Amino acid sequence: MSTEVTEIHQDSPKNGIIHSMSKNRQVHRPSRGGSDKDEEYRHHRTYRCNVDDGSTVTDFLPAERARGITIQSAAITFHWPPHPPETVRDTRNPTSTENPTLPISQASHTINLIDTPGHADFTFEVLRSLRILDGAVCILDGVAGVEAQTEKVWHQASNYHIPSIIYVNKLDRDGATFGKTVKEVGSKLHGWPAVCQIPWWEGGKGQFIGVGDVVALKALRWTTGGDGKNVKVFDLNALESIEPKLAQELRKARAALVELLSEYDEELVEKFLEHGENHVAIPPTAITESLRRCLLRNTGKIIPVFAGASFRNIGVQPILDAIIDLLPDPTEALDAEVSIGSAKGGLNRLIEGKLIVEGTDQSKAGALRAHTQAVDLVRNLRACALAFKVVNDPRRGVLVYVRVYSGTIHRNVSLFNTNLHISERAPRLLKMYASDAVEVQSISAGQIGVIVGLRHARTGDTLVSYAGTNPKAGPPAPLDSLQLRPIDIPPPVFFASMEPHSLSEEKHLGEVLAILLREDPSLQVSIDPDSGQTLLSGMGELHLEIARDRLVEDFKAKASMGKIEVGYREYIRTSSPPEMVMFDRETAGKKGKAGCTASVVPLSTSADITSLSSSTLQEDAYSTLRDGNLITISITSPDSADTPCDVSTRPLPSHLSLSTIHTSLTNGALAALARGPQHSFPLHSTHVKLTFDPATHVFGAETTSAAMSSAARLATQAALKSAAAQGGTALMEPVMNVIISVDEASLGAVVHDISASRGGHIISLNDSGTSSMVANNATEAEASVIDVRRIYAPPDPFASPSVAGAEDQLDHNNRQRTITARVPLKEMVGYLKHLRSLTGGRGTFVMSVDRFERMGAQREKVVLQEMRGMVA
């Protein structure tokens, strides 16, 4: 028996109503971009769009539509199901008078969707979006499977403990293999795929026409060539008569799903026993709740997998239902991480007043009083939000995207920036629909919105609204130091010179570069001290190309970009004797005087600098590792210049604390290490030893932080020059950890090109079905948890018998292989085009900075000649 459902989720009656909670979801696409999608939301209209037509709502930039990829993250807010029902019901309240067996998705919810790039050059767009989301949907290509960039993005989501589900797209294309992709999810993403849908191929080997719902034990068939609204639903009995093989596979998939969930959910085991150990008899709602519980535990072991072909409008509504049914709402997500003073913890603990108590030195007798004071202090905290994106809109001005974690931000409220310690007013608030916007009066907790007109807010800043004090002064201490977990900015690996066409354009270029850097902090600008050139650094070739296009076309900057160069490092060959420098200078009418002794020692490349044990340092010495260099600070005893003195007996002036001395001297050494003595590249693998003698290097109130920093800088520079004069310096180059995905037929050519032509070292060769070394250097222990042979996956009808029989016997030419190698960054410039020519367009790669390695004499000579323009 079949049931015709017209305009599913749009005209059918609803028992629920708009839920007060919102769900945020993240969409990831394969690394090469161009994943088709059908996004429906109702805001007076219904939008249907796809990448092929260049009409995707969230890809609205001209460069995105021209290239067919996502370049910047874009947010839209919509309701699903689209029509708000007419009565209000709390779908999560078990005492609700409505039918408790209905899934959560029957009630309309607000979804904040952020579409992020898939290209490796725009990793920061993914990172800052993941930072503020509660759930993620990872879209896979049913033909390509799990690609290298997918692994990297999945790991990034795991770092933030974001519950994620997978949608296998493009199953309507030739060569689509759902079963193979499911196996790769387990082997490469290191989780157990919970197959919630299986593809419906017409007649078993025909075209892709629908999906089998493993949870509900139904089959959904979409009208061929339709708009996705007309769906026929078949129960298991009706399916037996028209597609008996699909019905049989659906029963098998249900059994596998129940068995998998039972390993992680005791409640489902009880349901299984209650229904006579019959996998099919378990109610769909029980399985949905089990999936939800497994996801909310954030173990990453259970990965729900869904199927579809968005370009044909197949499978779109079920995946939207799954977002509501499985992913958490803001009240169920992990408590937001915050720091306040020296204390770190969750935002809810802060609101309860416990975090401030934990961060203060209170006796047991005063703990209750301190808790009461903390609660009173936090009571006036009206809102707390994180700015995760800044956009310069030509029509609206500066748009600051925020995620509100507590309270409500109202229009015209004063917001205190705890990072910059300044207050700004929020004159306008917007809800974004990609490039369109609707003005609102407030943004409540759990929501994503936009504040217009903030002049200073940057990506990663924490914004708070506090009542009862002068808005300009901000909240009282320690709330003025409240900061949500910041957004990590990856270091740039490519840079190019930016030259204005004339001196008159130099000021304008600096202004637009400042705007561009505020929008995209993964870009960096520096001035070469020798040539005076403006250097623009980024995450890759495409990243810098897009930045150049924006500067020239959007901001009308009259400038040109030079050749993309690689950032090298310089290292010293020999140690230097101690160099003592006395800084004595008057700056801005204030006298500063301090001394410092420095020496430098080269660090061995065979030693792991990051794991250098503090036991090798002098006892009572302070050390820190910065940018591949080790800085050690020793404060000597007044009795013996070679003996460190005890902290409690150091004769330090009252205005100089131990931490102030450490910070000042470290900053001075870092300033000296930023410029090599011979080639002007930053230093690497250098151990700077600073000695500070309070008896001879301190001169009362004249010894300020700035004076100590200057003394450390001059002493370190003198030591570096001495070492360079004795043994010279040499260059180090960045070496990348490269993961390349190719087919078996292209493997030999790619390996030869890497090892022979590009000076790389092959680390490993893996089958695509086996665990590969992902960009985050996942350990073998993590990769070996999943036994691929235990993973259930439906057979792929178009695969060869060997593939359908066993995943370890893939077709020789079409079998995907993964190459892990270390290659100098210079040799990877322009590599994507070359890789595509070697593999017929099927090869992909992702890379991350592995380390800096010393160059051979001949290679260093060639590089220096190229930089001096002696080699074309």
Side-chain angles (χ1 to χ4, degrees):
M1 176 178 182
S2 66
T3 303
E4 175 103 8
V5 181
T6 304
E7 295 194 0
I8 189 168
H9 289 312
Q10 295 189 22
D11 293 336
S12 55
K14 316 291 188 308
N15 294 323
I17 178 61
I18 295 180
H19 203 279
S20 61
M21 307 170 187
S22 71
K23 283 180 172 287
N24 303 324
R25 77 127 167 158
Q26 166 80 21
V27 177
H28 298 296
R29 294 189 285 171
S31 60
R32 284 182 290 177
S35 178
D36 303 312
K37 57 190 172 183
D38 180 307
E39 296 160 349
E40 295 184 272
Y41 64 92
R42 184 167 296 274
H43 183 72
H44 307 299
R45 296 177 295 177
T46 297
Y47 293 83
R48 285 185 183 84
C49 41
N50 62 72
V51 173
D52 294 336
D53 294 340
S55 60
T56 310
V57 171
T58 53
D59 293 338
F60 55 84
L61 293 178
E64 291 178 318
R65 298 193 170 184
R67 296 173 184 265
I69 62 172
T70 301
I71 293 174
Q72 70 172 16
S73 57
I76 59 173
T77 301
F78 64 98
H79 298 298
W80 185 261
H83 280 173
E86 298 177 354
T87 58
V88 178
R89 178 175 73 94
D90 186 352
T91 58
R92 302 193 191 282
N93 187 352
T95 63
S96 173
T97 58
E98 301 292 345
N99 187 353
T101 63
L102 288 176
I104 299 172
S105 56
Q106 288 298 308
S108 185
H109 288 65
T110 301
I111 297 180
N112 293 312
L113 180 148
I114 295 184
D115 181 24
T116 64
H119 197 285
D121 281 15
F122 306 106
T123 297
F124 179 68
E125 286 291 327
V126 181
L127 286 175
R128 64 173 162 189
S129 298
L130 288 174
R131 169 62 186 82
I132 51 89
L133 293 176
D134 300 325
V137 178
C138 180
I139 301 180
L140 299 183
D141 187 327
V143 179
V146 179
E147 300 176 86
Q149 177 66 5
T150 307
E151 296 181 64
K152 184 176 182 180
V153 172
W154 187 269
H155 172 68
Q156 291 166 345
S158 300
N159 283 341
Y160 288 109
H161 306 290
I162 298 177
S164 305
I165 61 180
I166 283 179
Y167 175 64
V168 182
N169 194 20
K170 301 185 181 181
L171 293 177
D172 57 322
R173 296 194 175 184
D174 294 338
T177 52
F178 180 80
K180 174 174 169 287
T181 302
V182 169
K183 297 281 187 180
E184 290 182 352
V185 168
S187 64
K188 293 186 175 183
L189 304 186
H190 314 308
W192 291 102
V195 178
C196 300
Q197 292 177 349
I198 59 175
W200 183 354
W201 313 96
E202 190 172 21
K205 287 186 176 292
Q207 64 176 338
F208 178 65
I209 58 174
V211 298
D213 190 335
V214 180
V215 176
L217 288 177
K218 295 180 180 179
L220 286 74
R221 176 170 180 166
W222 278 260
T223 302
T224 304
D227 57 5
K229 292 183 179 180
N230 299 323
V231 184
K232 287 185 177 181
V233 181
F234 300 86
D235 59 24
L236 201 55
N237 294 329
L239 194 62
E240 292 277 6
S241 61
I242 59 172
E243 288 279 2
K245 290 185 178 180
L246 179 63
Q248 180 183 359
E249 192 63 38
L250 205 55
R251 294 177 185 272
K252 183 179 178 181
R254 166 61 90 90
L257 180 61
V258 171
E259 293 292 334
L260 174 62
L261 293 177
S262 297
E263 295 183 20
Y264 296 90
D265 185 24
E266 291 295 332
E267 293 186 36
L268 187 64
V269 175
E270 295 177 4
K271 289 286 184 181
F272 180 60
L273 297 176
E274 288 176 7
H275 291 82
E277 300 185 10
N278 185 350
H279 302 91
V280 177
I282 300 176
T285 52
I287 295 180
T288 299
E289 288 302 319
S290 178
L291 282 166
R292 184 179 182 83
R293 285 191 294 270
C294 290
L295 278 180
L296 295 186
R297 290 184 189 124
N298 288 302
T299 62
K301 292 298 183 182
I302 299 296
I303 307 175
V305 181
F306 297 82
S310 297
F311 183 69
R312 307 295 178 190
N313 301 311
I314 298 175
V316 177
Q317 299 98 325
I319 191 63
L320 289 172
D321 287 343
I323 292 168
I324 302 296
D325 289 332
L326 303 182
L327 296 180
D329 61 48
T331 64
E332 298 169 313
L334 291 176
D335 195 8
E337 299 177 46
V338 298
S339 64
I340 180 166
S342 60
K344 293 185 179 180
L347 182 59
N348 288 335
R349 296 190 63 80
L350 171 69
I351 295 174
E352 294 169 1
K354 298 179 180 178
L355 186 58
I356 300 179
V357 174
E358 294 170 349
T360 56
D361 296 328
Q362 295 286 343
S363 63
K364 292 184 179 180
L368 180 61
R369 187 187 319 110
H371 174 72
T372 304
Q373 294 173 349
V375 171
D376 293 339
L377 187 66
V378 177
R379 184 177 291 118
N380 289 330
L381 185 64
R382 295 291 182 254
C384 180
L386 181 72
F388 68 94
K389 184 179 175 70
V390 179
V391 174
N392 189 74
D393 189 275
R395 293 179 297 165
R396 305 181 184 95
V398 176
L399 307 180
V400 179
Y401 286 72
V402 297
R403 161 72 192 267
V404 181
Y405 283 94
S406 70
T408 301
I409 294 179
H410 296 280
R411 183 180 178 184
N412 288 324
V413 73
S414 178
L415 296 174
F416 182 76
N417 189 319
T418 61
N419 297 77
L420 301 177
H421 289 274
I422 58 174
S423 293
E424 296 186 87
R425 191 165 296 278
R428 296 174 60 199
L429 304 177
L430 303 176
K431 279 285 186 181
M432 296 303 296
Y433 299 88
S435 59
D436 297 328
V438 173
E439 196 154 345
V440 295
Q441 296 300 312
S442 63
I443 306 173
S444 58
Q447 294 289 345
I448 293 175
V450 168
I451 304 175
V452 183
L454 298 184
R455 297 177 56 190
H456 303 287
R458 308 160 304 176
T459 296
D461 285 353
T462 299
L463 306 175
V464 299
S465 174
Y466 193 84
T469 60
N470 184 347
K472 292 185 178 181
L479 282 181
D480 60 349
S481 64
L482 168 64
Q483 290 188 9
L484 290 157
R485 178 180 175 180
I487 300 174
D488 298 327
I489 302 175
V493 293
F494 286 81
F495 70 85
S497 62
M498 291 296 304
E499 291 295 332
H501 292 170
S502 63
L503 289 177
S504 60
E505 292 292 330
E506 189 171 357
K507 181 180 179 181
H508 177 60
L509 177 62
E511 292 172 350
V512 297
L513 280 174
I515 295 173
L516 196 62
L517 265 61
R518 189 184 179 194
E519 288 189 10
D520 185 359
S522 63
L523 290 170
Q524 294 184 12
V525 172
S526 59
I527 305 297
D528 187 281
D530 285 340
S531 63
Q533 284 185 316
T534 300
L535 303 179
L536 180 65
S537 308
M539 300 300 299
E541 295 173 83
L542 183 58
H543 191 200
L544 291 186
E545 287 180 16
I546 297 299
R548 176 199 60 198
D549 293 344
R550 291 211 60 199
L551 285 172
V552 175
E553 298 175 9
D554 296 348
F555 297 109
K556 308 301 179 184
K558 295 180 180 179
S560 57
M561 180 176 287
K563 182 181 178 182
I564 296 176
E565 300 290 350
V566 178
Y568 296 98
R569 296 292 185 268
E570 196 170 339
Y571 74 94
I572 56 174
R573 299 178 184 272
T574 60
S575 303
S576 74
E579 297 285 345
M580 193 276 184
V581 171
M582 188 66 64
F583 176 82
D584 186 0
R585 189 176 302 171
E586 185 175 311
T587 305
K590 187 175 182 180
K591 185 174 179 58
K593 187 175 183 180
C596 183
T597 301
S599 62
V600 293
V601 178
L603 290 173
S604 173
T605 55
S606 61
D608 186 3
I609 301 174
T610 59
S611 61
L612 189 63
S613 173
S614 60
S615 62
T616 62
L617 305 174
Q618 280 187 329
E619 186 180 356
D620 200 44
Y622 167 84
S623 65
T624 181
L625 184 67
R626 299 287 184 89
D627 300 326
N629 300 298
L630 185 65
I631 301 173
T632 302
I633 301 174
S634 298
I635 301 180
T636 59
S637 168
D639 301 326
S640 173
D642 298 326
T643 305
C645 64
D646 185 75
V647 175
S648 60
T649 62
R650 291 189 175 103
L652 300 177
S654 58
H655 70 285
L656 291 180
S657 64
L658 193 62
S659 61
T660 301
I661 295 176
H662 288 162
T663 302
S664 301
L665 296 179
T666 300
N667 291 338
L670 289 175
L673 290 170
R675 178 180 170 84
Q678 194 164 352
H679 303 295
S680 300
F681 288 110
L683 272 299
H684 196 279
S685 300
T686 302
H687 186 182
V688 180
K689 298 180 179 179
L690 300 178
T691 302
F692 189 75
D693 184 359
T696 59
H697 295 162
V698 176
F699 301 90
E702 294 181 358
T703 303
T704 61
S705 298
M708 289 188 296
S709 180
S710 297
R713 174 178 56 83
L714 294 175
T716 305
Q717 287 176 342
L720 290 172
K721 289 179 180 179
S722 176
Q726 294 181 37
T729 65
L731 292 184
M732 304 179 74
E733 63 179 340
V735 175
M736 311 301 289
N737 181 47
V738 184
I739 302 172
I740 310 169
S741 297
V742 298
D743 54 14
E744 183 74 29
S746 307
L747 181 65
V750 174
V751 169
H752 181 268
D753 178 67
I754 288 292
S755 57
S757 302
R758 300 181 183 273
H761 300 281
I762 304 298
I763 305 301
S764 64
L765 298 174
N766 295 324
D767 292 336
S768 67
T770 61
S771 299
S772 62
M773 179 180 177
V774 294
N776 61 334
N777 296 323
T779 64
E780 293 183 5
E782 294 173 329
S784 61
V785 173
I786 305 301
D787 184 356
V788 180
R789 293 170 296 182
R790 292 182 53 202
I791 295 175
Y792 163 77
D796 292 318
F798 305 107
S800 63
S802 60
V803 175
E807 62 277 353
D808 57 349
Q809 296 180 357
L810 301 174
D811 180 77
H812 180 75
N813 288 333
N814 294 327
R815 181 173 55 172
Q816 289 293 307
R817 301 294 298 272
T818 300
I819 305 167
T820 303
R822 288 193 179 95
V823 189
L825 174 58
K826 183 178 184 297
E827 303 300 331
M828 296 304 295
V829 176
Y831 180 67
L832 182 58
K833 295 178 181 178
H834 186 70
L835 177 63
R836 288 175 175 172
S837 67
L838 289 176
T839 62
R842 292 185 295 273
T844 61
F845 81 98
V846 62
M847 65 180 182
S848 58
V849 177
D850 183 52
R851 66 186 68 177
F852 281 88
E853 290 187 355
R854 298 184 179 182
M855 301 169 61
Q858 182 60 33
R859 182 172 177 81
E860 179 180 330
K861 181 179 179 181
V862 172
V863 169
L864 290 174
Q865 288 176 339
E866 288 181 353
M867 288 189 294
R868 294 166 183 163
M870 299 179 65
V871 176

